[in-house]
Amino acid sequence: MKSQADAKECDHPISHSVVQPNKSDLVKRLNRIEGQARGVAKMVEEDRYCVDILTQIAAIQSALDALAMQLLASHTNGCVRSAIKSGDGDAAVEELMTLVKRFVR
Amino acid sequence: MKSQADAKECDHPISHSVVQPNKSDLVKRLNRIEGQARGVAKMVEEDRYCVDILTQIAAIQSALDALAMQLLASHTNGCVRSAIKSGDGDAAVEELMTLVKRFVR
Amino acid sequence: MKSQADAKECDHPISHSVVQPNKSDLVKRLNRIEGQARGVAKMVEEDRYCVDILTQIAAIQSALDALAMQLLASHTNGCVRSAIKSGDGDAAVEELMTLVKRFVR
Amino acid sequence: MKSQADAKECDHPISHSVVQPNKSDLVKRLNRIEGQARGVAKMVEEDRYCVDILTQIAAIQSALDALAMQLLASHTNGCVRSAIKSGDGDAAVEELMTLVKRFVR
């Protein structure tokens, strides 16, 4: 994991990236995901049907996947691009690939 | 989605399934996932480095995947098995496959 | 991996399973996948555009995923069901879950 | 899909990319995958145990995933990097993200 220090070195934090996913929109979506997780916990406590519970978990996964892909595009268009332009691409691309592998089966 | 009524028809709710994932353990893990989502929202608000944020999202995904596989095993050993034994296997297996496809790429 | 001996113990080989994916259809689809892999090798030799090559690899993955889900349904409706009915469900369900995990991220 | 023409525009074909996956090594691996697909077809024809067949399909998937990730790194370090440097990054990054989504669940 990069430290906060590294973040400072990045000219394009999420909130100013080229793709520009609206920050408050991202937070809103994460709050919704947080609520979905709370809802699933409640379903388990209520002995709800396992298929309904698993369907809800799959919905959270989809929401996280969409969020991750948006952030990945924002990161690539921001930090990675500026790193490549400033001749510092090797580390940025390697880091990007490590990240992509985390989201691939 | 199955209704609460269907859950009642299932002889093996999560909390009594053969695989028996401890219910309070499931809730504890879901609460942790809920906290992780809240933490990621905070990271976005603080303009933390996108790679750190994406790494945290990948961690939530892994936690959800593990939870889903445990519930799937519990459901198969519980509801699906009893449905098959009571000669009601067709619907149960079809529902199981629909569920599995949701978690496969 | 189960041995051929185990296969014999299974009352429902693919070709006689409840879901009954036509055997020659399965072989035809596998031959097509084999041809796609050969095609990708040719694209690499011809220095074709990497994006075209990766798009073809993704197409092979989708074809394999669809095939796997059909076989999984056939296996569940065949071997797993008969094992459960004959009171031998524990091993069959555990094996099924191990299999499902191989296809989930 | 991009045309051969586009490939020409790319200064870093696979065989000369920064990451430089050896071309003959890529072809060798693709030939092996082709042989694995042929082997699975044979298993189906021989009514081999479905679990063995599915295990082999999962092995092909893993081989393809590894190949795809190597090509993706090569493409990013080659075509995408040079496009960004030549001020042509927008299309290249968008194309890269479309590609990544194909390999994510």
Side-chain angles (χ1 to χ4, degrees):
Chain A
M1 298 247 304
K2 289 307 204 76
S3 70
Q4 186 66 334
D6 297 293
K8 294 272 160 294
E9 292 159 16
C10 179
D11 299 323
H12 298 267
I14 290 166
S15 52
H16 305 93
S17 72
V18 179
V19 157
Q20 184 60 287
N22 185 296
K23 206 166 109 175
S24 67
D25 164 66
L26 284 178
V27 172
K28 220 172 277 150
R29 285 161 69 183
L30 282 159
N31 293 341
R32 199 175 306 120
I33 288 164
E34 189 190 326
Q36 285 175 290
R38 189 162 40 243
V40 173
K42 197 165 169 300
M43 290 174 87
V44 171
E45 278 168 337
E46 292 170 351
D47 279 327
R48 288 285 300 280
Y49 186 48
C50 4
V51 172
D52 295 352
I53 295 171
L54 280 158
T55 301
Q56 283 308 305
I57 291 176
I60 301 180
Q61 297 273 39
S62 305
L64 284 169
D65 282 328
L67 199 65
M69 286 308 105
Q70 186 179 355
L71 284 168
L72 199 68
S74 153
H75 172 62
T76 307
N77 268 313
C79 310
V80 178
R81 257 172 104 143
S82 55
I84 288 171
K85 277 177 185 158
S86 65
D88 199 22
D90 288 3
V93 169
E94 194 186 332
E95 186 181 56
L96 177 65
M97 287 305 127
T98 307
L99 211 49
V100 166
K101 286 187 183 117
R102 287 217 181 85
F103 291 95
V104 170
R105 176 177 55 183
Chain B
M1 298 249 303
K2 290 305 202 77
S3 70
Q4 185 65 334
D6 297 293
K8 293 274 161 291
E9 292 160 16
C10 179
D11 298 325
H12 297 268
I14 288 166
S15 54
H16 304 94
S17 71
V18 179
V19 157
Q20 184 61 287
N22 185 296
K23 206 167 108 176
S24 67
D25 164 66
L26 284 178
V27 173
K28 218 170 282 152
R29 285 161 67 184
L30 282 158
N31 293 340
R32 199 174 307 122
I33 288 164
E34 188 190 327
Q36 285 175 289
R38 189 161 39 243
V40 173
K42 197 165 168 302
M43 289 173 87
V44 171
E45 279 167 335
E46 293 170 351
D47 279 327
R48 288 285 300 280
Y49 187 47
C50 5
V51 172
D52 294 354
I53 295 172
L54 279 158
T55 301
Q56 283 308 304
I57 292 176
I60 300 179
Q61 298 273 38
S62 305
L64 284 168
D65 283 327
L67 200 66
M69 287 308 105
Q70 186 179 355
L71 283 169
L72 199 68
S74 152
H75 172 62
T76 308
N77 268 313
C79 310
V80 178
R81 259 174 103 144
S82 55
I84 288 171
K85 278 177 183 157
S86 65
D88 199 21
D90 287 3
V93 169
E94 195 185 332
E95 186 181 56
L96 177 65
M97 287 304 127
T98 307
L99 212 49
V100 167
K101 287 187 183 119
R102 285 218 183 85
F103 291 94
V104 170
R105 174 176 56 183
Chain C
M1 298 246 306
K2 290 305 204 75
S3 70
Q4 185 66 331
D6 297 293
K8 293 274 160 292
E9 291 160 15
C10 180
D11 298 324
H12 296 266
I14 290 166
S15 53
H16 304 92
S17 71
V18 180
V19 157
Q20 185 61 288
N22 185 296
K23 206 166 108 174
S24 66
D25 164 67
L26 285 178
V27 173
K28 219 171 280 151
R29 285 162 66 184
L30 282 158
N31 293 341
R32 200 174 307 121
I33 288 164
E34 187 190 329
Q36 285 174 291
R38 190 163 36 244
V40 173
K42 197 165 168 304
M43 290 173 86
V44 171
E45 279 168 336
E46 293 170 350
D47 278 327
R48 289 284 300 280
Y49 187 47
C50 4
V51 172
D52 295 352
I53 295 172
L54 279 158
T55 301
Q56 282 309 305
I57 292 176
I60 300 179
Q61 297 274 37
S62 304
L64 284 169
D65 283 328
L67 200 65
M69 287 308 106
Q70 186 179 353
L71 284 168
L72 199 67
S74 153
H75 172 64
T76 307
N77 268 313
C79 311
V80 178
R81 259 174 102 146
S82 56
I84 287 171
K85 278 178 182 156
S86 65
D88 200 20
D90 287 3
V93 170
E94 194 186 331
E95 185 180 56
L96 177 65
M97 287 305 128
T98 307
L99 211 50
V100 167
K101 288 188 182 115
R102 287 218 181 85
F103 291 94
V104 171
R105 173 176 57 183
Chain D
M1 300 248 299
K2 288 307 203 75
S3 71
Q4 185 66 335
D6 297 292
K8 292 274 159 293
E9 292 160 14
C10 180
D11 299 323
H12 298 266
I14 289 166
S15 52
H16 304 94
S17 71
V18 179
V19 158
Q20 186 61 287
N22 185 296
K23 207 167 107 175
S24 67
D25 164 67
L26 284 178
V27 173
K28 220 172 280 152
R29 285 161 68 184
L30 282 158
N31 293 341
R32 200 174 307 121
I33 287 164
E34 188 190 327
Q36 285 175 291
R38 189 161 41 242
V40 173
K42 197 164 168 303
M43 289 174 86
V44 170
E45 278 167 337
E46 292 170 350
D47 279 327
R48 288 288 300 281
Y49 187 47
C50 4
V51 172
D52 294 353
I53 295 172
L54 280 158
T55 301
Q56 284 308 305
I57 292 176
I60 300 179
Q61 298 272 39
S62 305
L64 283 168
D65 283 327
L67 200 65
M69 286 309 106
Q70 186 179 354
L71 284 168
L72 199 68
S74 152
H75 172 63
T76 308
N77 268 312
C79 310
V80 178
R81 257 173 105 145
S82 55
I84 288 171
K85 278 178 184 157
S86 65
D88 199 21
D90 288 4
V93 169
E94 194 186 333
E95 185 181 56
L96 177 64
M97 287 305 127
T98 307
L99 211 50
V100 167
K101 287 189 183 115
R102 287 217 182 85
F103 292 94
V104 170
R105 173 176 57 185

